[in-house]
Amino acid sequence: QVQLVESGGGLVQPGGSLRLSCAYSRNIFRFYNMGWYRQAPGNQRDMVATISSGGGVTHYADSVKGRFTISRDNAKNTVYLQMNSLKPEDTAVYYCKVHEPYNYWGQGTQVTVSS
């Protein structure tokens, strides 16, 4: 049973923008922290951004601060990642995760930044 479904990835030129969405299927996830992570080929999966259950507390990796914004709409059961000023080094598969105690991952969506 799929719990998290990411969408919005694609090919974009350097300097461009994308908005990723993560739709979650269980209302109970509204009460838990969630996050976006990414994994480039040959690399480990790293945290990009996290958000508290109510959306009031966010954290970002240093590499994306000032360019990416995480948000959530619990009425729509969706978490977003707005990505601006994209760089080639942002190329990766982006995953959504619901944190403790569930620790569920989505299937990922590919983001490619290239001219």
Side-chain angles (χ1 to χ4, degrees):
Q1 183 178 357
V2 178
Q3 309 282 2
L4 305 169
V5 179
E6 301 98 333
S7 62
L11 173 64
V12 63
Q13 292 187 342
S17 298
L18 283 174
R19 188 176 81 155
L20 305 183
S21 298
C22 171
Y24 50 92
S25 60
R26 299 179 62 181
N27 289 341
I28 196 170
F29 293 166
R30 298 174 180 178
F31 301 103
Y32 295 96
N33 298 348
M34 297 186 69
W36 285 97
Y37 297 74
R38 67 186 181 186
Q39 188 170 19
N43 290 359
Q44 64 183 15
R45 190 172 299 185
D46 294 323
M47 185 276 289
V48 175
T50 64
I51 189 166
S52 61
S53 57
V57 180
T58 57
H59 294 285
Y60 296 92
D62 287 342
S63 58
V64 307
K65 282 181 181 177
R67 300 188 298 123
F68 291 11
T69 302
I70 188 170
S71 62
R72 66 191 299 167
D73 185 341
N74 285 336
K76 296 182 178 180
N77 284 9
T78 304
V79 178
Y80 303 99
L81 185 68
Q82 178 66 44
M83 305 186 295
N84 298 329
S85 303
L86 282 161
K87 305 175 181 179
E89 51 264 43
D90 294 318
T91 295
V93 178
Y94 284 71
Y95 298 90
C96 177
K97 179 184 180 182
V98 59
H99 290 179
E100 300 284 348
Y102 294 96
N103 290 319
Y104 290 152
W105 293 93
Q107 83 289 349
T109 185
Q110 176 71 46
V111 172
T112 302
V113 185
S114 175
S115 55

